[in-house]
Amino acid sequence: MAHSSKDGSDSKAEQAEQERPVPVATVIRTATEQLAQLLNQPAEAVSSCERIENGDWRLSVEVLELRRVPDTMSLLASYEVDADHDGQLLGYRRTRRYERGRADRR
């Protein structure tokens, strides 16, 4: 339970704790867990993570969409994921789908 001063403001320690940024690892873990749950597919990796202008996050997440044998033929997809400053999912979209064993031609 939070304690407030007589004027209703939080203590300095509580304010500092509330203003402390969430660690990027927590943001990534929270967002990828939510995406995997929504898609009902495992998130394999995060290939990029950046803070966007409004303080939210944009991640590129690799998701296993179809497991095949051999594993190099499994289908993966890249998803662009937007999350708020705490890592709560705001939206996502699939940007590409590919076989695990195929590299980009760049």
Side-chain angles (χ1 to χ4, degrees), residues 87-102:
Q88 298 299 313
L89 205 65
L90 298 173
Y92 66 92
R93 67 184 181 94
R94 186 169 64 191
T95 57
R96 107 181 230 257
R97 198 168 190 210
Y98 59 98
E99 289 178 339
R100 184 186 301 273
R102 302 219 186 231

Side-chain angles (χ1 to χ4, degrees), residues 4 10-11 28 32 34 42 45 48-49 52-53 62 66 75 78 80 87-88 90 92 96-98:
S4 297
D10 292 335
S11 73
I28 290 170
T32 56
Q34 290 177 16
S48 71
C49 177
I52 54 180
E53 64 275 352
E62 308 307 311
L66 182 60
L75 289 179
S78 292
E80 183 178 274
Q88 298 299 313
L90 298 173
Y92 66 92
R96 107 181 230 257
R97 198 168 190 210
Y98 59 98

Side-chain angles (χ1 to χ4, degrees), residues 55-99:
D56 290 343
W57 293 92
R58 179 158 297 140
L59 295 82
S60 181
V61 181
E62 308 307 311
V63 174
L64 177 62
E65 289 202 332
L66 182 60
R67 187 176 307 275
R68 291 185 175 162
V69 176
D71 193 45
T72 55
M73 298 302 291
S74 293
L75 289 179
L76 291 116
S78 292
Y79 283 83
E80 183 178 274
V81 176
D82 290 331
D84 69 11
H85 63 281
D86 290 325
Q88 298 299 313
L89 205 65
L90 298 173
Y92 66 92
R93 67 184 181 94
R94 186 169 64 191
T95 57
R96 107 181 230 257
R97 198 168 190 210
Y98 59 98
E99 289 178 339

Side-chain angles (χ1 to χ4, degrees), residues 24-55:
V24 69
T26 300
V27 170
I28 290 170
R29 184 173 41 258
T30 301
T32 56
E33 286 172 357
Q34 290 177 16
L35 180 67
Q37 186 177 22
L38 285 170
L39 297 175
N40 198 28
Q41 303 290 349
E44 295 234 329
V46 175
S47 55
S48 71
C49 177
E50 64 181 321
R51 199 93 190 241
I52 54 180
E53 64 275 352
N54 64 358

